Amino acid sequence: MTADRGHEGRPAPEFFTPGSSSFAQFLAAHRPGLLPTRAPFPDGVRAAPDAFPHGTTVLALAYRDGVLIAGDRRATMGHLIAQRDLEKVHPADDHTAVAFAGTVGLALDMVKLYQVELTHFEKVEGIPMTLGAKARRLATMIRQNLGQAMQGLAVVPLLAGYDLAAPEGARGRIFSFDVAGGLYEKAPFHAEGSGSPYARGALKKLFRPDMSRREAALTALQALYDAADDDSATGGPDIGRRIFPIVSVITEEGFERLPEAETEALSREMVAHRSRRPDGPHATP
């Protein structure tokens, strides 16, 4: 945010006015035009379904050491592939990550605002938000986007975090949202986006609560592969271009995106396995 300068280069008076610890509320009061939730069209106007890039499938699952969150890389505009290497998974803070399906431009702005929101709260209050409060704060931001969603520009995030205050074995938590800001905790896995029914089916088949990081990452990649196999808007591993899904984990040590080399090796291993068994691995008895 660019601050207006007062006399002698001092920030504008609103920066010295007591208020809440919400940066989004601060913008709403003093710079509402900077909010990504402002309505882009007049009332009654709806966006054409193929006019803006849309992100598709993202998922999260709990595993032995925490929680994993992943997403494919494709963005589509109707029947066109608008982007092949979109990043849909982003850290929100040290122990929280957000992924998104929906309108790409609005989603990226919402993610940036959410990152600032969490940082602003911690600087003002001196302590980080609890994970439940982070989920409720994101739900509020989505609810403020309802006008855009009704005009065809919906954003559907998926939130995953490591809850340091939760009991041992239950610290990896997942939250989903609807376009009206409804908040739902999902355990032990969930997926969003156009390929999510197929990804959830694969996760239901393959999930085990005691998985290692490697096993969890392979399970996520298998689920995204199944989604891409049945949903044209979801992109699978692109071996030729070396574009692979983004896989990140959140543990007690914090957020970590799996290195590109690790994700590529796991993806190639999975594709080789699929060449022998195209329907993928069977459920563990």
Side-chain angles (χ1 to χ4, degrees):
M1 175 178 177
T2 302
D4 287 344
R5 295 286 176 175
H7 295 295
E8 300 177 355
R10 290 172 55 84
E14 55 261 32
F15 287 90
F16 301 97
T17 304
S20 78
S21 56
S22 169
F23 186 74
Q25 290 182 12
F26 176 81
L27 283 183
H30 301 290
R31 298 291 189 279
L34 296 179
L35 285 170
T37 53
R38 63 191 185 279
F41 306 122
D43 291 343
V45 176
R46 185 175 176 83
D50 58 350
F52 299 94
H54 279 69
T56 48
T57 310
V58 294
L59 60 84
L61 62 129
Y63 73 105
R64 186 171 61 204
D65 298 323
V67 63
L68 177 147
I69 186 166
D72 82 307
R73 308 292 297 275
R74 180 173 292 178
T76 58
M77 292 175 58
H79 297 293
L80 298 176
I81 298 176
Q83 188 173 348
R84 300 179 188 275
D85 60 351
L86 177 66
E87 298 199 5
K88 305 175 187 176
V89 179
H90 301 267
D93 64 12
D94 289 344
H95 288 93
T96 318
V98 61
F100 65 85
T103 308
V104 172
L106 296 181
L108 291 173
D109 280 351
M110 187 179 292
V111 167
K112 292 174 185 176
L113 179 60
Y114 185 59
Q115 291 167 334
V116 175
E117 182 83 354
L118 300 188
T119 302
H120 183 76
F121 178 92
E122 187 168 349
K123 288 183 180 297
V124 171
E125 299 293 339
I127 56 172
M129 285 188 199
T130 65
L131 184 55
K134 294 174 189 177
R136 291 189 294 274
R137 190 62 62 94
L138 184 55
T140 299
M141 293 173 62
I142 298 166
R143 190 173 303 116
Q144 292 168 344
N145 191 58
L146 181 58
Q148 292 182 328
M150 297 300 290
Q151 292 181 322
L153 301 175
V155 176
V156 183
L158 182 63
L159 184 72
Y162 187 87
D163 191 346
L164 296 167
E168 189 73 31
R171 293 182 176 175
R173 300 174 66 188
I174 302 164
F175 300 89
S176 72
F177 308 83
D178 60 36
V179 294
L183 171 62
Y184 314 93
E185 184 161 4
K186 302 290 186 177
F189 55 80
H190 190 63
E192 291 287 359
S194 61
S196 60
Y198 315 107
R200 284 199 295 267
L203 291 171
K204 185 180 293 186
K205 176 179 70 172
L206 300 174
F207 177 82
R208 300 192 326 275
D210 61 341
M211 289 188 294
S212 66
R213 182 175 106 157
R214 184 181 189 280
E215 292 169 330
L218 274 172
T219 296
L221 292 171
Q222 293 281 7
L224 290 172
Y225 191 101
D226 278 349
D229 200 34
D230 287 297
D231 173 45
S232 62
T234 302
D238 191 333
I239 301 295
R241 295 183 177 89
R242 299 186 65 187
I243 299 173
F244 303 96
I246 292 175
V247 181
S248 298
V249 295
I250 314 166
T251 64
E252 187 173 7
E253 286 72 36
F255 174 91
E256 179 189 357
R257 175 169 166 172
L258 267 63
E260 187 75 20
E262 182 177 353
T263 307
E264 178 176 353
L266 291 173
S267 297
R268 289 182 181 275
E269 177 183 334
M270 178 197 64
V271 171
H273 183 270
R274 288 279 182 148
S275 68
R276 299 188 298 272
R277 180 179 286 178
D279 58 343
H282 295 168
T284 303

